[in-house]
Amino acid sequence: MRVRLDSEDRAAFLALPVQHRTVEPASYMVREGERVESCILLLTGFAYRHKVTGDGQRQIMAVHMPGEFLDLQNSLLGVADHNLQALTRCEVAMVPVAALRRLAEDRPRVGQGMWIDTLVDAAIFREWIVNVGRRDSISRLSHLLCEIALRLDEAGLVRNGCYELPMTQEQIADCTGLTPVHVNRVLKELGRLGLISRDKRAVRILEWDRLQEIGDFNARYLHMEAGGPAKLHSAL
Amino acid sequence: MRVRLDSEDRAAFLALPVQHRTVEPASYMVREGERVESCILLLTGFAYRHKVTGDGQRQIMAVHMPGEFLDLQNSLLGVADHNLQALTRCEVAMVPVAALRRLAEDRPRVGQGMWIDTLVDAAIFREWIVNVGRRDSISRLSHLLCEIALRLDEAGLVRNGCYELPMTQEQIADCTGLTPVHVNRVLKELGRLGLISRDKRAVRILEWDRLQEIGDFNARYLHMEAGGPAKLHSAL
DNA sequence: CGAAGGGTTGAGCCCCTTCAATCTTAGTGG
DNA sequence: CCACTAAGATTGAAGGGGCTCAACCCTTCG
C-alpha cells in the first residue's frame, strides 16, 4: 500500500480474514456485470483490467503488479464495470468486502490509506487517457515502458535497467490503443534507435533519459515516494 | 454526493468551514504541480480536468457539472498532477483539506461516501480510456453525448432530451482525442443521421436508443441510482 | 514431429489530420 | 446603427500514420 500505517493499524490490517488462492494465467478474477463480494490483494504475478467494446475490440485500462491492491474499485461499487484477468499465474489473498468496509470504519487511518491507494490508481487512469488520446505510437509505447519500469522498480523487480514484461504484443497493443502489428514495428524502431533492447519478454532500457523524453514521461502522476524515480534513474 | 448519509453525518458535512467564491470562465482552479490545500465543491457551472503534453496538445480527462465534488483527487495526493479549469463561470465552495481529512476520520461513513465518489470518477476515467483508445470518431462523440446527457439529467439540467453543452468544438475534440475540424464533421454527420440536432451550444437528442447503440454506450460504469437512466430514457 | 501461439514483415488503403480559407456570431466602440 | 474585431464554426483538398490483410517465421510443448 502507498501509505504508512502505525503498528496498531498495520496489525488490524494483517488480522483481516484472508483466503489465499492461486489463479491460473488468463483466468478471470472478476467479470464485468458480476456482483463483487471480495477484494483481492495481489501477492505474486501480474493482472490487468480491461473492457471489450461492442464490436469485440479490447482495451486494457490498467496493469497490476505484485503487492498491489486490486478491486477496491469494483468491490465498493458493488457491480463490476470491467473485467479483471490474470496475466500470469498469480497468488492472491482475498478479503471479504464487508470486513474491509468494517476495517475502514473502525480504523479511519487504514481506510484513508486504501482511499489514497485508489486515488493513485485514478491518477494512472488519467495519464492513460492522455497517452492514448494525444500521443503518437512511439511516444505511447515509450511512455508505457517508462511507467512499467518505475512501478516494477518500486516492487523490486528491476535489475540493471532490465525487467520482465509478461505481456504479448497484442496485450501491449490493447494497453495503447494500437494494433499488434504496429506495436511490433514500433518496438523494433525503439530498438533501432538504441533506446531499448529486447529478449523474449525481457526489456532492457538502454537510454532512460531519451526514452522518457520521447515518451513525454513525467513521473509525477505516479505519486511515489521521493526516492523512487531517482533510484532507478541512478541505476541506469 | 453519490452516497446517502444520515442526518447526523449530513449535518457534520454541512458544518464544514467553507469559503464561497465565484470563478471566471477559463480561469484555473488548480494547476499541475501546485500543492493543493483546499478542496472544491462545484455549486453552479462547469469545470474540466486536463493535461498538456510536451508538444502542446491538450487532453481533457473529465468534465464536471454542478453538484460534483472536485479535487478530492488532487488535494489528498498533495501535489496536483493535472489542471482544473473553469469551463463557465462557476460558484464554488472551498473546504480546507485538513478539515475534510478530519471529517473523514471522525465520521467514517462520510469518509466512505467521499471515497466512493472518487471511485465513480475513476470508473468514468476508465471508460474514457476505452472511448479514446478503441472507438472510431462517430462512436466516440456519440458516447460522450450519451454520458453527458445522463449526468446532466441526474443534475436536473435536461429538458425534453435537450441540454446546454458549454464546450467549444475544440474542447470536445480535446475530450475525445480528435481534432476540432473532425469533431465538426462528425457532429454534422450525427445531425444528418437524425440522431441529434444542435442550436448553438444546445444539443437535442432525437434518437436516444440509436445514439446509445452507435456510441457503444452502457451506463453501468456511471454507477447511478436505479432510476437514473430509465428516467431520461422515458423522457425521450 | 506436428500443432499452436505469438512474433515479424510487406503492400495497399483509409480514417483522421493538416493546412488554409470562408462564414457566422457576438461583442465593442464610434 | 454600423463598421470593426475576434472567437468559433464550417468547408475543401491533400497527405500521412496507423490499420488491414496476408504471408511467413520462430519457439515451445505435447
Side-chain angles (χ1 to χ4, degrees), chain A residues 28-36 50-53 61 74 79-84, chain B residues 127 218-221:
Chain A
Y28 281 81
M29 300 177 180
V30 177
R31 273 180 204 274
E32 182 174 352
E34 277 180 1
R35 183 150 268 287
V36 180
H50 68 94
K51 287 192 187 186
V52 176
T53 64
M61 298 160 304
N74 279 325
V79 175
D81 59 32
H82 63 281
N83 304 291
L84 185 57
Chain B
E127 185 66 30
N218 178 329
R220 173 152 47 216
Y221 74 97

Side-chain angles (χ1 to χ4, degrees), chain A residues 32-33 49 51-55 57-61 72-74 76-77 79-82 101 104-106 108-109 111-112 114-116 118-120 122-130 132-135 170 173-175 177-179 216 218 220-221 223, chain B residues 32-33 49 51-55 57-61 72-74 76-77 79-82 101 104-106 108-109 111-112 114-116 118-120 122-130 132-135 170 173-175 177-179 216 218 220-221 223:
Chain A
E32 182 174 352
R49 299 172 192 281
K51 287 192 187 186
V52 176
T53 64
D55 59 343
Q57 295 193 84
R58 183 175 57 172
Q59 175 68 46
I60 294 178
M61 298 160 304
L72 284 171
Q73 332 260 341
N74 279 325
L76 289 185
L77 289 172
V79 175
D81 59 32
H82 63 281
R101 223 182 256 272
E105 292 196 15
D106 294 347
R109 194 61 58 107
Q112 225 166 93
M114 294 191 290
W115 183 6
I116 287 180
T118 61
L119 287 178
V120 174
I124 297 175
F125 292 145
R126 286 193 295 269
E127 183 68 30
W128 280 41
I129 294 174
V130 178
V132 158
R134 286 297 184 209
R135 291 198 260 260
E170 184 170 11
D174 289 336
C175 288
L178 300 168
T179 55
D216 186 30
N218 178 330
R220 173 153 46 215
Y221 74 97
H223 297 277
Chain B
E32 182 174 352
R49 299 171 191 282
K51 289 191 187 186
V52 176
T53 63
D55 59 343
Q57 297 193 85
R58 183 175 57 171
Q59 175 69 45
I60 294 178
M61 297 159 306
L72 285 170
Q73 332 261 341
N74 278 324
L76 288 185
L77 289 172
V79 175
D81 59 31
H82 62 280
R101 223 183 256 273
E105 293 197 13
D106 294 348
R109 195 60 59 105
Q112 228 167 90
M114 294 190 290
W115 184 6
I116 287 179
T118 60
L119 287 179
V120 174
I124 296 175
F125 293 145
R126 285 194 295 271
E127 185 66 30
W128 281 40
I129 294 175
V130 179
V132 159
R134 285 297 184 212
R135 290 199 260 260
E170 184 170 10
D174 289 336
C175 287
L178 300 167
T179 57
D216 186 30
N218 178 329
R220 173 152 47 216
Y221 74 97
H223 297 277

